[in-house]
Amino acid sequence: MWTWSRSLKKLLRSVVLIGCFLAFILFTKKLSPITLWELIRENHILTGRYKNNTAYEKDRALPKQSHERDGSVALTTLKSQISISPKNEINEQMRVEKIDKMIERLRFENFYPPTFWNTSLTQLTRQLGGRTRRTAKTLTGYANYTNKNNLPSWKLLHMNIRQYSLYDPDDPSVEITLRDMANLRIISAETTKSGTEFKLIFKFSNGGQAMMKPMRYSREVEADENRYIFDDMERHVAEIAAFQLDKLLGFYRVPPTVGRRINITSELKPISPTSVTDTIFTSPAGNLCFYGKCKKFCDHAHAFCGHPDTIEISLQSFLPPENTARRKSWSQPWRRSYSKKRKAYWETNDDMCQFIRNETPYNNSKLLKDIIDVHTFDFLTGNKDRHNIAIFEEFGDYSFPILYDNGRGFGRQTYDAMSILAPLRQCCLIRKSTLLKYIKLYMGPERLSSLMEKALESDPLAPVLIQGHLNALDRRLVKILQAVELCLATYAFDDVIVSDDF
């Protein structure tokens, strides 16, 4: 009896000593619990080799033997698509393996809904926040419209704007509005003072309005890497693709946008103001061109030319008039400096999030997560020009950002602007529903590139995006998940992934 008691005391003493030893390493060497566990598993804990997380992450990033799970089709497919930049020493294959480990680790946090693995992305986006969106209040300016039978599609679309979404993906008026913009007779065109580049406001025979942006250059032409963002020119196809991507990912913040071909001679010239018609000329190639009037790029050298007089355009449905639904806008925290000589504060300092977390309006528990959503969306499109946040004033700050003006996306196929992910990286915060969507696309079998290609097939200007831009979506999705994985390796699960009703 005495022998057993003595042995038990020795065992308990050993357990306490081991616990104290591990606690000592955890706190003095500044290792996260996850990293500590992986170090123990990999038998490196006693070597004294790693002083902190940074050293461990650096060593793990070195090329080593792949440890794929058997039959991991998702990983194999993604690895074949990821291009390794010569400027980046991190082994991309290892980064994908770390994402895979993160996904497995999230199982133990009860992260995934019961139906997650057996549902499509479309079904998932309808489920996530669906009840909250559908039951949210609408704009009071349309409360008196009781008879909807004789209303045009654009007005029905406006009536269904709610506090947390610009449109309902299952609302028939969305598709009808797209079809109307693509086919109805254009009865007038007027210039707009908003923005820096040329655009026109079109009015259709049913009273609806849309913002028109003409094609400047073909889909194959890439944005010049030597241009600053404020010198980059907008692409009409980027507006179309941004709407379809927004709808596909279940954000519902981009106004319905569609492509169309119009004839400069018979459709545009008769309805346009003199600021446009006076600039029409015939190019040396015999094509009809115009350049209009605007702040930048409105001259002969930057003209819009038809083939010979037919030109592609994008049309984005107008928001409700200001007297019905006033908007409020302001510069967002991660806005670029738009200067050749200086960078914005957040580009040289990583503590921007510390300053704004507790400031109005970002302390309302929703808007900051919305901004991070927006930046992951912009990273997928490659749009570095998100300078303002706009919301409906009636709904207050606890609503959603309206994402119009997406024309500077999809400019470069092989370049990923990592700076767009600064809010995610600096705040280490992401909405659970957003992460679920991205993991769903990562795991497959549905790929973001193939879903986007299918979504754009019905547009009158299809193919809207060339294959290089579609492939870039899959590559950038991986890099978003890499950023999340690094955050989870540093901070607690509940501090990084936040659940809400959206």
Side-chain angles (χ1 to χ4, degrees), residues 191-192 194-200 211-214 216 234 268 272-273 275-276 279 290-298 302 304:
T191 56
T192 174
S194 64
T196 57
E197 296 189 39
F198 177 82
K199 54 181 76 74
L200 287 174
M211 186 67 73
M212 184 278 277
K213 293 185 179 181
R216 190 180 292 275
E234 294 184 326
L268 183 63
S272 293
S275 61
V276 176
T279 67
F290 65 94
Y291 53 86
K293 186 178 181 180
C294 63
K295 295 178 183 178
K296 294 182 71 173
F297 310 125
C298 280
H302 299 96
F304 304 97

Side-chain angles (χ1 to χ4, degrees), residues 368-435:
L368 181 58
K369 285 176 283 186
D370 285 341
I371 290 177
I372 293 171
D373 280 353
V374 169
H375 276 260
T376 62
F377 173 80
D378 284 340
F379 178 71
L380 290 171
T381 68
N383 179 20
K384 298 192 289 185
D385 191 36
R386 187 71 60 193
H387 42 83
N388 285 347
I389 293 292
I391 61 174
F392 287 108
E393 194 174 82
E394 177 182 333
F395 295 143
D397 297 332
Y398 201 80
S399 54
F400 68 95
I402 308 166
L403 303 188
Y404 48 76
D405 202 7
N406 302 284
R408 287 196 169 118
F410 297 102
R412 297 174 66 183
Q413 308 168 47
T414 57
Y415 170 72
D416 302 329
M418 299 303 296
S419 61
I420 302 175
L421 287 181
L424 172 60
R425 182 176 59 83
Q426 294 176 359
C427 296
C428 267
L429 184 73
I430 191 168
R431 182 173 273 127
K432 178 180 178 178
S433 60
T434 302
L435 184 56

Side-chain angles (χ1 to χ4, degrees), residues 431-444:
R431 182 173 273 127
K432 178 180 178 178
S433 60
T434 302
L435 184 56
L436 280 169
K437 297 168 193 175
Y438 291 158
I439 289 177
K440 186 70 179 176
L441 289 166
Y442 169 82
M443 294 300 292

Side-chain angles (χ1 to χ4, degrees), residues 59-278:
D59 189 60
R60 286 192 64 191
L62 294 174
K64 57 177 77 173
Q65 183 67 31
S66 172
H67 298 291
E68 286 185 21
R69 294 199 310 268
D70 292 339
S72 181
V73 179
L75 281 177
T76 305
T77 305
L78 274 169
K79 288 171 187 174
S80 66
Q81 293 177 353
I82 295 174
S83 60
I84 302 175
S85 169
K87 297 180 181 179
N88 190 353
E89 296 179 358
I90 297 177
N91 184 286
E92 293 290 349
Q93 178 174 314
M94 290 304 299
R95 303 305 299 162
V96 173
E97 289 177 359
K98 290 171 78 173
I99 293 172
D100 197 50
K101 289 180 182 179
M102 175 191 74
I103 292 170
E104 288 299 319
R105 210 156 51 224
L106 290 175
R107 287 178 181 269
F108 298 101
E109 301 284 353
N110 295 321
F111 175 72
Y112 304 104
T115 59
F116 177 79
W117 304 103
N118 299 315
T119 189
S120 67
L121 179 69
T122 300
Q123 293 169 328
L124 182 67
T125 55
R126 297 301 194 276
Q127 295 168 7
L128 296 172
R131 180 180 176 82
T132 304
R133 288 192 305 272
R134 288 190 295 270
T135 57
K137 62 182 181 181
T138 57
L139 294 165
T140 56
Y142 294 101
N144 295 327
Y145 288 89
T146 54
N147 185 9
K148 299 181 180 181
N149 295 329
N150 298 320
L151 295 178
S153 61
W154 60 270
K155 185 159 285 188
L156 292 172
L157 187 70
H158 291 172
M159 291 176 66
N160 210 20
I161 294 174
R162 296 181 179 270
Q163 183 172 355
Y164 307 123
S165 58
L166 191 59
Y167 61 91
D168 182 339
D170 299 316
D171 179 5
S173 64
V174 176
E175 291 301 321
I176 298 173
T177 298
L178 293 174
R179 187 179 66 220
D180 287 347
M181 289 191 295
N183 295 287
L184 286 180
R185 183 170 62 89
I186 306 164
I187 61 174
S188 69
E190 61 181 87
T191 56
T192 174
K193 295 179 180 179
S194 64
T196 57
E197 296 189 39
F198 177 82
K199 54 181 76 74
L200 287 174
I201 299 172
F202 275 4
K203 188 172 183 179
F204 302 99
S205 56
N206 69 345
Q209 290 180 295
M211 186 67 73
M212 184 278 277
K213 293 185 179 181
M215 172 179 171
R216 190 180 292 275
Y217 31 55
S218 65
R219 292 153 177 73
E220 293 74 21
V221 177
E222 291 231 325
D224 189 343
E225 63 180 1
N226 292 310
R227 285 180 179 268
Y228 288 95
I229 184 62
F230 47 81
D231 286 331
D232 189 19
M233 288 178 280
E234 294 184 326
R235 287 157 285 278
H236 69 302
V237 290
E239 297 284 2
I240 302 165
F243 164 67
Q244 292 294 347
L245 180 63
D246 171 76
K247 184 181 177 184
L248 188 63
L249 294 176
F251 291 135
Y252 315 126
R253 298 164 180 158
V254 177
T257 311
V258 71
R260 178 170 176 166
R261 291 181 178 86
I262 62 169
N263 188 282
I264 298 173
T265 304
S266 61
E267 292 182 274
L268 183 63
K269 187 176 180 180
I271 61 171
S272 293
T274 56
S275 61
V276 176
T277 56
D278 288 350

